[in-house]
Amino acid sequence: MNLFFRVKLLLACAFLLSATLNAQLSYSVGPVDTGEVEAELVADVAAIRPGQEFQLALRLKMDPHWHVYWINPGDVGFRPEVEWELPEGFEVGPLEFPVPERIPFEPLVSYGYEGEIFLIAKAKAPESLQAGREVRINAAANWLVCEEACIPGNANLAIELPVTDSGETLAPAEYADEIAQTREALPVEAEGGKVAVEDLGDTLVFNLQWDGLQGAELEEPYFYVEQESVSNSAKAQSFDLVGNLLRVAVPKADYFEQVESGYTGLLYSKNGFDSAGGVQAVRFSVQSDLAALGATPAKLSEGAGFEIGFGQALLYAFLGGMILNLMPCVFPVLSIKVLGFVQQSGEDKGKVLQHGLAFTVGVLVSFWVLAGTLIALRSAGESLGWGFQLQQPEFVVVMLVVMFLFGLSMAGVFEMGTSAISLQGKVKGEGFGGSFFSGVIATAVATPCTGPFMGQALGYALTLSAFQSLTVFTFLALGMATPYLVLSANPALINKLPRPGAWMETFKQVMSFPMFATCIWLIWLLGAHMGNDGLLFVLGGLLVVSIGAWIYGRWSTPARKKATRRLASGLALLTVAGGIWMMMPKHMDASEEKIAWQAYSPALVEELSASGKPVFVDFTADWCLTCKANEVRLFGSDKVLEEIEKRGVQLVQGDWTKKDAVITEALAKYGRSSVPLYLLYDGKPGSEPKVLPQVLSPDAFLESLDEI
């Protein structure tokens, strides 16, 4: 959990505690001074008539330099909230927020308000309201107010409004003008406007299409994304307006996870929008796609939205590529290359240079393959960015296995024979293929990382033509390979490295740990793709892969007979392949989508079992390997799924992953103190369930179904 989320979690706890305490207080008419904030519930009318529509507002007046937050608070904070307590028949809409300000607090920037604000809600009195009485509207308000420190605030507010036949009174409402001005300045929906989002690695490009943008001259524009944890509010945005299409390059939040659908936001311009009555902000909420907007990346103006030119992008790409070598993604591979250089010390000058060139070619080719694939997919309408291959769990599995095997090999689990065409043999530099392959691996593991200069260069590159884009990626690859190439071209530098010796074995083993650290990260990444159940297979697959590596290391050494080596190599290969097969994201996913589990409760089971349909109760836990194995076998069977659907079997699951007294009691009822436990009810009222075997096969399940 990153720092921002931990801060937000603490603030959320304080916020909820404040709300809980607030609920215990009485409601007050008039302003309530909470210290840093004066809060009051006000209306734009002093009296109401039956059926009248009017406006309520939460007035918050902050002390100087204190602020409260917008819908999306930016880096930290929480939006104000109101819980209404209304007289019978009254209706109140959601709070409407004015256009926020950007409030800097280095290194963070929040979206919020200073001074005095009115958060407005539309209200309506019932037609049945009787004149001559007075109504009282209560509101429990909560907010977070910050300066250097943040303080959760709350107040239980109330307003009393007399009811008259005309709704008129001798005195106007005190804040009627302020509420009217706030209403007039509220953002409005960009009528006919559409938004499509494009992922460019570190940047999201919001394509805003609206006729009101045609010919507009935007002054100090800014796009406020309404969803949290999407945009980096502390970084500058870039704008490019062509016709009625505005492209806004928005840097991603540091804790951005993945692109989702449904992004909405406010486009602000200090000089307002004539097509929207002069308001300073219009809202874009209607979703579209790039093709529908006629804005596929290939059709966009070159470099649109980025404040750098082509030459600068090439320079940034080259520098970014060099710095990429210092990023944690590439660090594990550096150990391989360092070992290669040490082994080459003292060798022929030309041969060393050829190794460096082979490494450079490996980096270049792999960059071209990745960039070419990315450009082709984007031209086909896919919204992808740099590192897109890591969005494919199959690719991550292969990377994990490769890095895991590297780690095992460096730790001494197995050694490849000099005659074999093998990963380690290649990587050790025993051939130019090894240098080429190490360049490929370095590129593959480098893609999740970006360093200084890279973000702008990559974002810019993806707006260019295919040739220009590939040129930028080529400079990125050259930048990454340059340090190695320079070292290869200067054997005097290599000769300064320690001579090969016994120390290399220790160094190699030590450097296996960064490899395993990379594996941990890749496993974590797979967890995001496959969930906890998928991770079980990933870890199991790695175990099988390690067995294959051990078989190879144990019986494929040159000391063994040729036939033994061949048999061991074949068996090891099959074992590793089996491990990879286990790890691929094909288990459970399809079947899980078809299974509609209902959470266990005795009342639910009693109700379902009296319905005339069979009921299958699965008492399980995420930590129960037998349970998971049974589930894979059982629900991986199409025949089982077909019979469940055909017979209308009701599926109930009691998850015992965490302590649960109800499930513990249910297990004890059948003499069990552990899971799995499978019960099958025949659907007849009052009948006892059949207890199925703990190791449950599809055949046993189907036979039990036939017997009821």
Side-chain angles (χ1 to χ4, degrees):
M1 184 181 294
N2 64 52
L3 175 62
F4 291 138
F5 278 122
R6 278 182 286 179
V7 171
K8 296 190 81 166
L9 181 60
L10 289 173
L11 291 175
C13 292
F15 197 69
L16 291 174
L17 178 61
S18 170
T20 303
L21 294 174
N22 191 29
Q24 301 173 0
L25 302 175
S26 59
Y27 294 90
S28 301
V29 176
V32 174
D33 189 351
T34 63
E36 298 77 18
V37 176
E38 180 182 276
E40 185 176 5
L41 184 61
V42 298
D44 65 340
V45 294
I48 56 174
R49 66 177 184 275
Q52 181 178 355
E53 295 182 353
F54 60 104
Q55 298 184 83
L56 293 167
L58 171 63
R59 183 179 74 88
L60 298 175
K61 184 177 181 181
M62 282 67 73
D63 285 351
H65 310 300
W66 289 81
H67 62 269
V68 294
Y69 294 93
W70 183 55
I71 298 170
N72 171 9
D75 283 330
V76 293
F78 288 97
R79 59 185 287 177
E81 293 182 347
V82 169
E83 186 174 342
W84 299 99
E85 187 177 297
L86 302 173
E88 184 177 355
F90 274 76
E91 300 174 3
V92 175
L95 286 183
E96 297 178 72
F97 287 70
V99 181
E101 306 169 28
R102 300 180 70 237
I103 302 173
F105 186 76
E106 295 294 339
L108 310 177
V109 171
S110 299
Y111 299 149
Y113 312 94
E114 294 181 333
E116 183 180 47
I117 63 161
F118 293 81
L119 305 180
I120 303 175
K122 293 178 180 177
K124 184 178 181 182
E127 296 286 353
S128 58
L129 196 62
Q130 296 295 317
R133 56 171 292 197
E134 187 174 75
V135 296
R136 181 186 178 96
I137 297 174
N138 295 329
N142 296 278
W143 60 84
L144 185 71
V145 62
C146 297
E147 190 198 22
E148 291 184 355
C150 289
I151 302 173
N154 61 75
N156 279 9
L157 308 170
I159 185 171
E160 294 175 342
L161 296 170
V163 182
T164 67
D165 289 330
S166 64
E168 296 178 352
T169 58
L170 294 177
E174 181 179 359
Y175 293 103
D177 290 342
E178 288 84 352
I179 294 175
Q181 291 168 8
T182 301
R183 166 64 64 187
E184 188 176 354
L186 282 178
V188 298
E189 194 73 23
E191 189 173 352
K194 298 176 181 176
V195 56
V197 181
E198 191 178 356
D199 186 2
L200 295 185
D202 288 345
T203 302
L204 289 175
V205 175
F206 288 81
N207 295 268
L208 309 177
Q209 189 179 62
W210 179 44
D211 289 343
L213 290 169
Q214 189 79 42
E217 294 184 4
L218 305 180
E219 182 179 351
E220 300 180 16
Y222 194 82
F223 188 66
Y224 292 96
V225 181
E226 291 185 330
Q227 288 70 33
E228 296 185 37
S229 305
V230 175
S231 62
N232 189 325
S233 53
K235 291 187 177 179
Q237 301 177 348
S238 298
F239 296 82
D240 181 71
L241 177 61
V242 179
N244 67 347
L245 181 65
L246 176 67
R247 299 185 74 230
V248 187
V250 178
K252 290 180 180 175
D254 292 337
Y255 31 93
F256 181 89
E257 294 184 351
Q258 61 182 5
V259 177
E260 297 179 352
S261 60
Y263 290 132
T264 57
L266 301 183
L267 176 63
Y268 168 85
S269 178
K270 185 178 180 180
N271 56 344
F273 297 91
D274 293 337
S275 300
V279 295
Q280 290 185 311
V282 290
R283 184 170 185 263
F284 288 82
S285 61
V286 178
Q287 304 298 306
S288 186
D289 54 52
L290 295 178
L293 298 185
T296 54
K299 296 180 182 177
L300 293 171
S301 58
E302 294 180 358
F306 296 91
E307 298 172 347
I308 59 174
F310 184 66
Q312 197 174 359
L314 296 180
L315 176 62
Y316 279 13
F318 186 81
L319 293 174
M322 291 184 66
I323 296 174
L324 191 59
N325 288 294
L326 303 177
M327 295 294 107
C329 303
V330 190
F331 177 72
V333 181
L334 288 181
S335 59
I336 299 174
K337 200 59 198 163
V338 169
L339 281 174
F341 279 132
V342 170
Q343 288 186 328
Q344 292 161 13
S345 62
E347 291 189 3
D348 176 71
K349 178 179 178 181
K351 188 176 180 181
V352 174
L353 179 59
Q354 288 172 348
H355 276 288
L357 289 172
F359 175 83
T360 303
V361 172
V363 173
L364 278 169
V365 169
S366 48
F367 262 93
W368 286 336
V369 170
L370 289 174
T373 305
L374 174 61
I375 292 169
L377 290 174
R378 286 175 58 82
S379 298
E382 296 284 345
S383 179
L384 298 172
W386 187 237
F388 68 97
Q389 69 278 14
L390 293 169
Q391 297 170 345
Q392 307 302 317
E394 294 84 358
F395 178 87
V396 181
V397 165
V398 173
M399 281 299 303
L400 173 59
V401 172
V402 170
M403 300 301 287
F404 187 59
L405 287 174
F406 274 151
L408 291 177
S409 176
M410 297 177 80
V413 173
F414 69 95
E415 293 282 346
M416 294 295 188
T418 54
S419 60
I421 300 176
S422 60
L423 289 179
Q424 189 177 359
K426 288 174 178 289
V427 174
K428 273 183 169 181
E430 293 173 353
F432 296 124
S435 294
F436 176 87
F437 190 70
S438 60
V440 173
I441 291 297
T443 303
V445 299
T447 49
C449 281
T450 56
F453 304 108
M454 270 189 66
Q456 285 178 279
L458 291 180
Y460 178 84
L462 293 176
T463 68
L464 303 177
S465 66
F467 176 77
Q468 289 177 311
S469 182
L470 276 177
T471 305
V472 174
F473 279 100
T474 300
F475 271 71
L476 180 63
L478 289 174
M480 184 174 172
T482 290
Y484 307 98
L485 195 58
V486 169
L487 197 58
S488 302
N490 294 275
L493 295 176
I494 295 180
N495 290 336
K496 291 183 179 178
L497 295 172
R499 292 292 176 187
W503 66 270
M504 289 179 60
E505 184 62 24
T506 302
F507 178 76
K508 187 181 71 171
Q509 292 180 10
V510 169
M511 294 314 294
S512 69
F513 294 111
M515 289 288 183
F516 292 132
T518 303
C519 292
I520 292 173
W521 171 72
L522 291 170
I523 291 170
W524 172 82
L525 186 59
L526 281 172
H529 286 295
M530 303 162 70
N532 284 339
D533 290 342
L535 278 185
L536 187 67
F537 290 97
V538 170
L539 296 174
L542 283 181
L543 176 63
V544 174
V545 168
S546 66
I547 292 173
W550 175 75
I551 292 173
Y552 187 88
R554 184 74 177 83
W555 284 288
S556 291
T557 61
R560 299 286 183 178
K561 294 180 179 178
K562 189 174 183 179
T564 302
R565 293 202 304 270
R566 287 182 174 178
L567 179 62
S569 297
L571 184 58
L573 185 61
L574 288 175
T575 307
V576 170
I580 295 174
W581 177 82
M582 283 183 64
M583 297 163 69
M584 286 297 174
K586 58 187 177 183
H587 301 279
M588 297 296 292
D589 290 352
S591 56
E592 280 183 343
E593 291 177 0
K594 300 176 184 176
I595 300 173
W597 289 107
Q598 302 175 73
Y600 171 81
S601 74
L604 175 67
V605 173
E606 183 177 355
E607 177 186 345
L608 294 176
S609 61
S611 66
K613 293 182 179 179
V615 180
F616 176 67
V617 184
D618 172 16
F619 291 101
T620 183
D622 287 346
W623 39 260
C624 170
L625 286 176
T626 304
C627 305
K628 295 303 173 188
N630 286 343
E631 289 167 11
V632 170
R633 284 196 300 267
L634 196 60
F635 299 109
S637 166
D638 291 338
K639 192 171 182 180
V640 168
L641 296 175
E642 289 172 4
E643 287 298 317
I644 287 174
E645 184 176 0
K646 179 181 174 183
R647 304 189 190 205
V649 178
Q650 300 296 302
L651 300 173
V652 177
Q653 193 169 65
D655 188 348
W656 208 38
T657 302
K658 297 179 181 177
K659 189 176 180 181
D660 189 310
V662 175
I663 295 178
T664 303
E665 184 179 347
L667 294 173
K669 182 178 178 181
Y670 295 94
R672 302 288 179 85
S673 59
S674 62
V675 289
L677 171 64
Y678 303 108
L679 304 177
L680 185 61
Y681 290 81
D682 58 11
K684 298 174 183 175
S687 63
E688 287 294 317
K690 179 178 181 180
V691 179
L692 304 187
Q694 280 189 301
V695 179
L696 186 58
S697 66
D699 289 342
F701 178 79
L702 293 173
E703 289 174 7
S704 299
L705 269 183
D706 291 336
E707 293 172 359
I708 63 174

